[in-house]
Amino acid sequence: MSLFSLALAAVGLLLVLLLASKLFGARTIATWTLGFLVLATGFLYAAGKGWLTDPWHAGSPQASVVPTELVERREAAVESAALSVGVQDPKQVLFGDLHVHTTFSFDAFQMSLPMAGGDGAHPVADACDFARHCSGLDFWSINDHAITLTPRRWEETVEAVRQCNDVAGDVENPDLVSYLGWEWTQVGTTPETHWGHKNVILRDLADDQIPSRPISAGTPPGLPDPAANAPGPILVGGFALFEANTGGPDFATYMAATLGLVDCPQGIPVRELPMDCREVAPTPADLFAKLDDWDKEAIVIPHGTAWGFYTPLGSAWDKQLTDEQHDPKWQSLVEVFSGHGNSEEFRAYEEVTLAQDGSWSCPAPNENYIPSCWRAGQLIQERCVAAKIPAGECAERAAQARQNFVDAAFNAGFWTVPSTKLVDWQDAGQCRDCFQPAFNYRPKSTVQYMMALGRPEQKQDRFRFGFIASSDNHSARPGTGYKEFSRKEFTEARFGNFVDTQLGRRDDREPVPESEPVELSNIVTPFANFETERQASFFLNGGLAAVHADGRDRHAIWDAMQRREVYGTSGPRILLWFDLVNGPRGATAPMGSEVELTQSPEFRVRAVGSFEPKAGCPAESRESMDAARLARLCQGECYHPSDVRRAISRIEVVRIQPQTGRDENLRDRIEDPWRILPCPPSSDGCEITFTDETFTASGRDTLYYVRAIEIPSLAVGADPLGCTRDSKGKCVEISPCFSKPWTDDCLSETEERAWSSPIFVDQGPTPVPAIVTDTLPAPDRDQIIGAGEGGDGA
């Protein structure tokens, strides 16, 4: 029986009591009323504890294996394209998604509820079937938030991923490889305490090869403990009854299980911890230490680094480049792009100014960027002038508004201006000249910024990450970038609906011409605190990870990730090869390599565009599962490539020469683009070579990576705000994606792309000066280097 039905029964009982009072008198009805109140209180308590509704489960995959013939056709298409651009004996290029959430994650769960426009549970089993037959991937991983993975949810996740692999057929040549993992979700309220989000991917699946539980970051520092400050069961039960038809009872059951899990004790070896607790590592150093203790094969992948939705103003990656907070044994890849936007490109503006004394202030705008704090001052100034308040006082109020914004707790600056609307903020806080940037961009947390950092005095002197992209999908749909459609189901745009639920709040204050400070104690719920409605316009269908692997089995894909022979795309299956052709001893070094050279590096780039998609789903997908399940998961569209490839318009080369000292300006260390190399207008692909003639003379270690840019095509959310600009480029009016009906996918033209992993070229050792005598000729440079590398030139 549903809670709604039980509530109707309680109302009926109350009516019976009222009738009884007429028949038997007041004393009897008082006794009965007391009994009714006890019963009602018990009912609300039971509902709030989640005892009246079954919890959601991981499920079991239902789809069949992908036919071998289809897998072979896909492999043949890649090999044919490789040969067309001169790649001899190519490795397999496989596509996957290493960032996928199901409704075991708290935010994914809440978005699945009818109150947020969701259509119910999307468990691990859905992700398995979707990866096989909707998006047609070669590999994927599960990455639910560790903080909400109770022992039951983790056990079910492990079993569902194993079942997904059991379907795959031959372990040496599976149709799909499914990896187990989780997300270490850390959020700090200040730049000093913020470390960000990182996915942990596990290679293996056997009990003795995986940790007993996922490792969480715990409660964000500076925030109250959710369990200790959660409303009581009776209030939660009341909420469940109020939202009985929109997911309230399921919410109560989910939260009761989540908040009932206690943190494991600290300082105890991981294998001695109780099985029924949440393992917590508050910092990256703690996470790496626990992974050392578990000693299982794993990779840690930071992601969403420049995403300002939760990243505090002024956050920077400098503090993570230390011997404690970075361990390349574990952390070797970084996600540059996802459905939450692009975190690649550094820009030299500031969203807040941090003085040496620790004080914060609002920086002035420039031609390509207006800080949100500055826009807050403009809004108060405009209201003030409209209210005919003296100009001097208006200027003071605008200055106070800017300061209140930067001082606001936990990214809640937008709350300091009472009763703003979505359109009021225009494009404040956004990177205007970045490719599909993450919302509220944080420049000092971008991938380019972190790759330019240098600390030569430390053991961990630099980040040497390989690059991937992923979806960060929250509806158990790995690889949603295969077609640009279904904004409501394939992106997280439903996040914006929270402002109209009990989990969020609308700003019902008067639009007064004065700013209000926001303290941590003012925060009601996290989704009310963040700019969920404005963020909702910036969600994308997401990207893909690609690997150059020696085979398509679990270990071959893992080995490619370990050697960083990987790249990312913004969604399409662009093929990309990037090699150093004059490596040590004349060898070719692929993307992700580290080499030392004493001569100018020479590179070759080869890229082939993705296939134009065909409408609908191929027969193999339609036959893989029942029609209703296929329609719900795939939304009527699957990966269904035609035989026509898009052209690559150009190759962009990025050159970064990391700092050799902390005082060097990072702006000068990043050259983007260093070179733009046009491609012929052909669907056959593009092959280009280039040389850095200045490398040796520069005396600096240098990394190079490339972007392969496709010709323009339409994409969901590519123009999230729809700005109308004046003659000076100022955004004066917006038509944001979230303001459009769900039937409108908010398609705009973009240039889809692929990002290679860098090739790290370090300065080689200076040749030893030759000793010249009358009888012994000086050896040439190649002989000396050969001897130094273990050759026979000595």
Side-chain angles (χ1 to χ4, degrees):
M1 182 180 291
S2 70
L3 285 185
F4 184 70
S5 299
L6 289 172
L8 288 177
V11 172
L13 177 60
L14 179 60
L15 292 175
V16 170
L17 291 175
L18 291 174
L19 178 62
S21 69
K22 298 292 187 181
L23 299 175
F24 302 109
R27 179 174 296 180
T28 301
I29 191 58
T31 302
W32 286 18
T33 300
L34 179 60
F36 169 77
L37 292 175
V38 171
L39 178 64
T41 301
F43 166 72
L44 291 176
Y45 183 87
K49 295 291 286 186
W51 295 341
L52 304 181
T53 306
D54 290 333
W56 290 358
H57 296 280
S60 296
Q62 299 179 28
S64 59
V65 65
V66 177
T68 302
E69 297 78 13
L70 178 56
V71 174
E72 291 174 347
R73 286 203 306 270
R74 292 173 180 170
E75 292 175 350
V78 172
E79 183 175 10
S80 174
L83 294 173
S84 73
V85 289
V87 180
Q88 301 299 319
D89 193 22
K91 296 175 182 175
Q92 292 204 41
V93 180
L94 305 175
F95 291 94
D97 189 351
L98 297 173
H99 193 171
V100 182
H101 294 270
T102 76
T103 40
F104 277 171
S105 289
F106 63 95
D107 45 358
F109 173 84
Q110 291 166 359
M111 278 192 294
S112 73
L113 298 175
M115 69 178 73
D119 66 346
H122 281 281
V124 181
D126 282 8
C128 173
D129 291 349
F130 188 95
R132 269 203 167 86
H133 295 292
C134 299
S135 54
L137 297 181
D138 300 302
F139 63 94
W140 70 287
S141 70
I142 189 71
N143 305 101
D144 281 314
H145 297 290
I147 196 169
T148 52
L149 284 175
T150 63
R152 177 189 65 81
R153 292 171 190 158
W154 176 246
E155 181 180 344
E156 290 188 9
T157 297
V158 173
E159 179 58 27
V161 171
R162 287 172 177 166
Q163 290 177 8
C164 191
N165 276 286
D166 288 344
V167 177
D170 183 0
V171 295
E172 299 297 327
N173 192 38
D175 71 327
L176 176 71
V177 174
S178 303
Y179 289 101
L180 185 64
W182 67 82
E183 179 177 310
W184 183 83
T185 310
Q186 198 278 343
V187 180
T189 57
T190 67
E192 295 78 18
T193 61
H194 180 78
W195 301 102
H197 296 185
K198 303 174 191 286
N199 285 326
V200 180
I201 316 294
L202 303 174
R203 186 189 66 184
D204 302 306
L205 290 176
D207 283 338
D208 62 349
Q209 294 175 313
I210 62 175
S212 299
R213 65 190 74 76
I215 303 168
S216 162
T219 302
L223 289 183
D225 177 34
N229 291 271
I234 293 177
L235 287 178
V236 175
F239 168 78
L241 181 62
F242 183 79
E243 296 282 359
N245 292 325
T246 59
D250 292 318
F251 176 81
T253 300
Y254 180 92
M255 293 307 297
T258 303
L259 296 176
L261 184 62
V262 299
D263 291 349
C264 299
Q266 294 293 319
I268 297 176
V270 294
R271 289 172 179 79
E272 299 176 16
L273 292 171
M275 292 300 296
D276 59 348
C277 63
R278 178 189 294 113
E279 193 167 342
V280 174
T283 70
D286 297 318
L287 174 63
F288 301 143
K290 283 186 172 291
L291 291 174
D292 283 335
D293 196 358
W294 279 112
D295 193 26
K296 310 298 182 184
E297 287 290 332
I299 295 176
V300 176
I301 308 174
H303 66 266
T305 56
W307 189 34
F309 178 70
Y310 71 92
T311 304
L313 294 167
S315 292
W317 259 67
D318 303 64
K319 69 179 181 295
Q320 300 211 37
L321 185 54
T322 70
D323 293 340
E324 296 76 30
Q325 303 298 346
H326 172 56
D327 188 344
K329 170 187 174 183
W330 301 113
Q331 190 170 246
S332 56
L333 304 177
V334 66
E335 182 186 285
V336 299
F337 179 90
S338 76
H340 295 175
N342 182 16
S343 289
E344 175 207 5
E345 300 164 271
F346 173 71
R347 293 293 182 267
Y349 61 72
E350 292 184 323
E351 70 274 29
V352 65
T353 299
L354 307 179
Q356 289 187 345
D357 63 1
S359 62
W360 294 19
S361 61
C362 183
N366 61 41
E367 62 180 13
N368 280 321
Y369 178 74
I370 176 172
S372 293
C373 56
W374 196 268
R375 181 59 186 155
Q378 289 179 335
L379 288 170
I380 293 299
Q381 179 99 17
E382 292 165 3
R383 293 179 182 181
C384 195
V385 170
K388 302 187 184 308
I389 297 172
E393 183 174 345
C394 286
E396 291 179 2
R397 291 190 181 190
Q400 186 60 55
R402 294 193 291 270
Q403 192 60 45
N404 282 346
F405 189 101
V406 300
D407 289 341
F410 206 17
N411 277 15
F414 75 107
W415 276 106
T416 62
V417 182
S419 194
T420 58
K421 296 180 174 59
L422 190 63
V423 297
D424 291 335
W425 293 96
Q426 298 174 349
D427 65 345
Q430 314 313 319
C431 183
R432 292 174 178 169
D433 62 345
C434 295
F435 169 75
Q436 297 181 203
F439 175 68
N440 279 351
Y441 211 60
R442 302 292 188 245
K444 293 182 180 179
S445 294
T446 58
V447 172
Q448 287 183 348
Y449 182 91
M450 62 181 73
M451 301 301 282
L453 290 170
R455 300 291 183 264
E457 73 278 8
Q458 300 175 172
K459 178 183 177 182
Q460 304 304 335
D461 60 337
R462 288 163 52 187
F463 293 116
R464 295 176 183 259
F465 291 140
F467 295 173
I468 66 164
S470 297
S471 72
D472 200 354
N473 180 268
H474 280 61
S475 59
R477 291 183 168 103
T480 41
Y482 63 87
K483 282 181 182 174
E484 294 293 337
F485 83 114
S486 193
R487 178 169 63 97
K488 181 182 179 183
E489 300 299 336
F490 278 25
T491 80
E492 276 57 71
R494 294 190 313 281
F495 242 55
N497 290 339
F498 282 126
V499 298
D500 291 321
T501 73
Q502 300 297 316
L503 305 177
R505 56 172 171 163
R506 284 278 180 187
D507 189 352
D508 56 2
R509 296 171 294 175
E510 291 296 320
V512 295
E514 191 166 9
S515 174
E516 298 178 1
V518 174
E519 304 293 338
L520 199 62
S521 59
N522 300 143
I523 297 173
V524 179
T525 69
F527 290 118
N529 182 61
F530 297 136
E531 291 187 82
T532 52
E533 187 176 24
R534 193 165 172 236
Q535 160 69 68
S537 294
F538 286 79
F539 287 116
L540 310 167
N541 278 36
L544 286 175
V547 301
H548 289 271
D550 292 322
R552 57 179 302 113
D553 64 280
R554 172 178 303 275
H555 288 274
I557 295 170
W558 187 264
D559 291 345
M561 291 192 287
Q562 289 283 29
R563 63 178 181 264
R564 298 177 302 214
E565 200 171 347
V566 299
Y567 64 94
T569 87
S570 55
R573 285 165 216 214
I574 299 169
L575 301 176
L576 178 61
W577 295 264
F578 176 44
D579 301 294
L580 174 74
V581 298
N582 65 332
R585 297 184 180 277
T588 297
M591 63 177 76
S593 298
E594 294 181 36
V595 301
E596 289 186 350
L597 285 184
T598 58
Q599 57 187 316
S600 298
E602 301 172 10
F603 299 94
R604 180 170 54 227
V605 187
R606 289 168 287 200
V608 182
S610 62
F611 286 118
E612 291 282 1
K614 292 163 61 175
C617 295
E620 293 88 352
S621 295
R622 297 195 304 271
E623 296 166 1
S624 68
M625 63 185 103
D626 69 71
R629 181 167 176 78
L630 186 76
R632 180 175 184 249
L633 295 186
C634 311
Q635 296 294 299
E637 296 287 346
C638 305
Y639 179 61
H640 192 14
S642 69
D643 295 328
V644 178
R645 289 190 179 272
R646 295 170 179 164
I648 300 294
S649 66
R650 66 190 183 278
I651 302 296
E652 295 179 349
V653 185
V654 179
R655 183 173 78 168
I656 298 177
Q657 296 177 322
Q659 291 172 310
T660 58
R662 294 171 185 258
D663 58 339
E664 288 191 323
N665 191 327
L666 267 81
R667 181 192 309 186
D668 302 327
R669 306 270 52 86
I670 302 167
E671 297 171 274
D672 178 16
W674 175 58
R675 291 189 182 173
I676 300 177
L677 307 171
C679 294
S682 170
S683 61
D684 292 333
C686 179
E687 181 178 7
I688 286 175
T689 60
F690 66 91
T691 302
D692 185 358
E693 301 288 359
T694 66
F695 169 76
T696 305
S698 74
R700 304 188 72 105
D701 296 344
T702 307
L703 67 92
Y704 308 81
Y705 71 91
V706 298
R707 294 187 288 251
I709 314 295
E710 279 192 338
I711 59 174
S713 58
L714 295 177
V716 171
D719 183 13
L721 296 178
C723 272
T724 299
R725 300 189 182 276
D726 62 18
S727 59
K728 297 181 180 179
K730 178 184 177 183
C731 181
V732 294
E733 186 177 353
I734 66 172
S735 177
C737 288
F738 189 65
S739 68
K740 303 179 187 300
W742 288 120
T743 53
D744 185 339
D745 281 328
C746 202
L747 295 171
S748 294
E749 196 170 83
T750 191
E751 292 181 308
E752 304 282 14
R753 59 197 58 202
W755 297 264
S756 77
S757 283
I759 295 177
F760 303 88
V761 186
D762 293 346
Q763 294 287 333
T766 303
V768 178
I771 301 175
V772 181
T773 68
D774 292 337
T775 58
L776 180 64
D780 63 28
R781 185 193 60 170
D782 287 338
Q783 287 177 312
I784 293 174
I785 294 176
E789 294 176 350
D792 57 1

